[in-house]
Amino acid sequence: MTNHSETTGSSENGGIPGPAKPRRATPTSYDGPGEEHQVTLRTPAELADALPYLLGYRPEDSIVLVALRDRDGRGRFGGRARLGIPANADDWASAAGQLAHGLVAGSERRGVRPEQMVAYLCQEPGRGETGREVMERLRPLAQKLRVECGALDVPVVEALCISDGRFWSYCCDDEVCCPAEGIPMGLPGTSVLAAAAAYAGIQVRGSLRELRARLLPWEGTAALEQTAALDAAAMTLVSRILDDAGRADVAEETLRLAQRVMRRLGEAPPVSGVPAEDLRDDQLFGHDEAAALILGLQDRTTRDRAAEWMEGAEAGPALRLWRALARRCVGPYGEHAAAPLTLAGWVAWSTGDELEAREALAMALGADPDYLFARLLHQACNEGLDPESVRRCLRAERGGRGSTGGATADGDEQAGGPVKREPTELTPAPKAAAGRRRRPRSVAAAGGVLGRARAQSREPGVKIVRPRTPTGGERPGAARPGRTRSRASRKEAAGQEGICREGRRTGEHGTEGGGERL
């Protein structure tokens, strides 16, 4: 069963007066700059149109739950959670229970329990199937969602199926408003809600599939050429990284090379469209450079220093570099993608793009479930914590080395200029005010992930993975059947138990490769 659940945006981005009734949506307001602008949702059609704006993208093969709650006599959209629809119907009951319990528990941790739910089932027809047949096939899943939410005393007031450009309501049997053939969805971007969302700065992307495509490894001739370059680089770099005397030299070489490539990316002329952007970035550095960077980032200290390029002028080129390197972790080097995917997820989270952050971190855990940095960041991002605690830790480490931006091999100052110095110790979090709910302690774990993770969990300084022959076209986000863990991997997993124990107190619903986003 796939699990890429998430909440997108603030749980305070919509409002609905009064208790909602079945078959009738509730009014929703979006706050524009300077004053409140309200958009009223009255029908299932308007609820269906609202889904991409609630998530920030158009879901595919998804179960989505949206919490509703009352605030000052007005209803509000609360947390949103998504799971992939299990291919096996036998898994539907557990998926419905996981999603409902996870969303309610996550909302309760934030001190706001949902009062009602809206459920969505989104799936395109298979070959020879119609949208209506999809709706009927998924009806038992909708019923399981209603039962699970009802058992938690949070009724589902509307359940919609969206398929083949139409939608159906499972809660309404009135042919006048919800005919059996379904209702056509409106053209994207043409509704009043779309205009209000654009005014409020709410961005709607394509699909998660399109987002993940930017992080998936190459295929074809280019992948074979990159594999050869990785094999050649491994012959020299791995022995140097494992040698104490050569490890520091490789780290400096890796960071200088990364800075040079980042400069090229930052100076490249703009192009139109995401595929064109990625193609341009891929062409700005060669296979040998990519191989050296991928292998160099397997050293934990080097990776941590690279994570310092997280804000300001450095963040954009760094994110593009990490995406490009993830695409080059091809064939037997798929597990090496954990480092660049984690860095991509971290920079995306640091710059406010939680959607890409969650997907990149989930894919990093798919590439290497034992990758501690990805695990901690994924948990912190999923729980809606502030990335500033991690940024503060990174700034402190950078300042502790006396860095003023660093120099590239060409002698130029690193993009972004001087870095503000901060104390080498993290500033303690202020005590919670009386009567105020305390923030989960996983904030501290997230903030200290780079400064203290290795000390607490004995995370090894480097993990070199032996390339394996790919089986069935593996991808960083895919499960790896028959995976045999090395001795170093087993030791690392055992060491991670200490730091993850506290995280489990506030993240019981996290799962490998894509935990509950609540």
Side-chain angles (χ1 to χ4, degrees):
M1 181 182 72
T2 59
N3 179 356
H4 298 284
S5 54
E6 64 274 319
T7 301
T8 302
S10 167
S11 62
E12 300 293 336
N13 70 347
I16 329 176
K21 297 179 181 180
R23 299 192 301 151
R24 191 172 183 82
T26 46
T28 300
S29 66
Y30 288 89
D31 294 336
E35 58 179 322
E36 186 179 76
H37 295 266
Q38 295 185 359
V39 177
T40 302
L41 305 183
R42 302 182 184 279
T43 66
E46 290 168 342
L47 267 181
D49 180 71
L51 181 58
Y53 303 98
L54 293 173
L55 295 179
Y57 63 93
R58 303 186 184 280
E60 299 174 321
D61 290 328
S62 300
I63 314 167
V64 180
L65 279 181
V66 179
L68 306 178
R69 64 183 182 82
D70 180 75
R71 180 184 177 191
D72 300 328
R74 292 173 54 82
R76 291 275 175 172
F77 283 129
R80 283 84 79 193
R82 189 200 74 89
L83 278 173
I85 298 177
N88 190 339
D90 293 339
D91 295 328
W92 288 357
S94 61
Q98 180 183 7
L99 198 61
H101 286 262
L103 180 54
V104 171
S107 299
E108 288 177 337
R109 285 199 297 269
R110 290 169 174 79
V112 183
R113 194 177 196 276
E115 297 174 358
Q116 299 167 328
M117 293 282 192
V118 176
Y120 298 85
L121 299 178
C122 307
Q123 190 173 75
E124 289 304 298
R127 180 174 297 181
E129 192 177 29
T130 66
R132 182 175 179 179
E133 289 170 341
V134 171
M135 181 271 293
E136 293 294 348
R137 175 168 53 80
L138 296 180
R139 187 181 291 276
L141 175 55
Q143 181 60 23
K144 294 179 188 300
L145 285 170
R146 298 174 72 179
V147 169
E148 291 290 343
C149 292
L152 297 171
D153 199 24
V154 185
V156 174
V157 296
E158 184 60 274
L160 301 175
C161 176
I162 300 175
S163 180
D164 198 23
R166 291 177 172 266
F167 73 89
W168 291 260
S169 171
Y170 290 112
C171 297
C172 176
D173 55 4
D174 188 342
E175 282 288 327
V176 176
C177 65
C178 298
E181 65 273 16
I183 301 174
M185 297 285 294
L187 293 175
T190 60
S191 66
V192 175
L193 178 59
Y199 183 79
I202 299 174
Q203 179 185 9
V204 176
R205 305 192 193 186
S207 66
L208 290 182
R209 184 180 304 170
E210 295 168 345
L211 179 59
R212 296 186 192 114
R214 307 190 73 180
L215 304 170
L216 290 173
W218 288 348
E219 295 179 338
T221 304
L224 295 176
E225 294 172 352
Q226 185 62 66
T227 300
L230 284 162
D231 288 340
M235 294 292 291
T236 57
L237 286 180
V238 170
S239 59
R240 293 179 62 199
I241 293 173
L242 294 175
D243 178 67
D244 290 339
R247 185 172 166 185
D249 292 338
V250 173
E252 292 302 323
E253 293 167 8
T254 301
L255 294 170
R256 286 197 296 267
L257 175 57
Q259 290 169 337
R260 290 199 300 272
V261 175
M262 285 169 57
R263 182 182 297 109
R264 292 178 214 161
L265 294 171
E267 295 173 350
V271 295
S272 178
V274 169
E277 290 176 357
D278 291 342
L279 179 60
R280 173 205 57 197
D281 292 347
D282 290 338
Q283 295 173 341
L284 288 175
F285 60 107
H287 297 312
D288 293 341
E289 291 176 312
L293 289 170
I294 290 168
L295 291 170
L297 289 173
Q298 304 309 304
D299 174 53
R300 302 295 200 231
T301 303
T302 306
R303 175 209 66 194
D304 291 355
R305 290 181 61 184
E308 295 169 4
W309 304 324
M310 62 194 168
E311 54 192 348
E314 297 171 320
L319 179 56
R320 289 162 57 187
L321 174 59
W322 308 143
R323 287 190 196 122
L325 290 179
R327 294 192 291 268
R328 295 191 187 224
C329 292
V330 295
Y333 291 89
E335 195 164 339
H336 288 67
L341 284 169
T342 301
L343 289 169
W346 159 236
V347 177
W349 185 36
S350 178
T351 55
D353 189 347
E354 293 187 7
L355 176 58
E356 180 168 1
R358 286 191 297 271
E359 289 306 310
L361 293 170
M363 291 175 70
L365 289 172
D368 184 356
D370 299 326
Y371 209 70
L372 176 62
F373 189 20
R375 185 186 301 174
L376 291 174
L377 289 176
H378 189 249
Q379 176 190 325
C381 182
N382 275 350
E383 297 208 2
L385 305 183
D386 189 347
E388 178 58 25
S389 56
V390 186
R391 285 195 294 260
R392 189 183 301 120
C393 180
L394 286 163
R395 294 189 201 108
E397 290 199 356
R398 193 173 190 173
R401 291 196 306 272
S403 170
T404 58
T408 66
D410 300 325
D412 297 328
E413 192 174 81
Q414 174 182 320
V419 177
K420 179 181 177 182
R421 289 174 175 267
E422 297 213 7
T424 55
E425 294 295 328
L426 287 178
T427 304
K431 294 182 179 179
R436 177 176 295 179
R437 189 173 179 271
R438 178 173 294 181
R439 181 182 288 272
R441 293 185 63 194
S442 55
V443 172
V449 60
L450 295 172
R452 302 193 301 256
R454 287 189 296 274
Q456 292 184 6
S457 66
R458 301 181 297 281
E459 180 186 20
V462 62
K463 179 181 178 183
I464 299 296
V465 182
R466 291 187 177 184
R468 299 187 305 275
T469 302
T471 57
E474 294 173 354
R475 291 293 180 270
R480 297 177 177 272
R483 180 171 179 265
T484 303
R485 295 166 61 185
S486 65
R487 180 181 301 174
S489 175
R490 292 194 297 271
K491 288 175 66 179
E492 179 184 11
Q496 290 164 0
E497 181 63 23
I499 194 168
C500 293
R501 185 177 298 114
E502 180 171 306
R504 282 197 294 270
R505 296 175 186 171
T506 55
E508 296 93 344
H509 300 282
T511 59
E512 176 181 300
E516 284 296 324
R517 178 62 179 110
L518 306 171

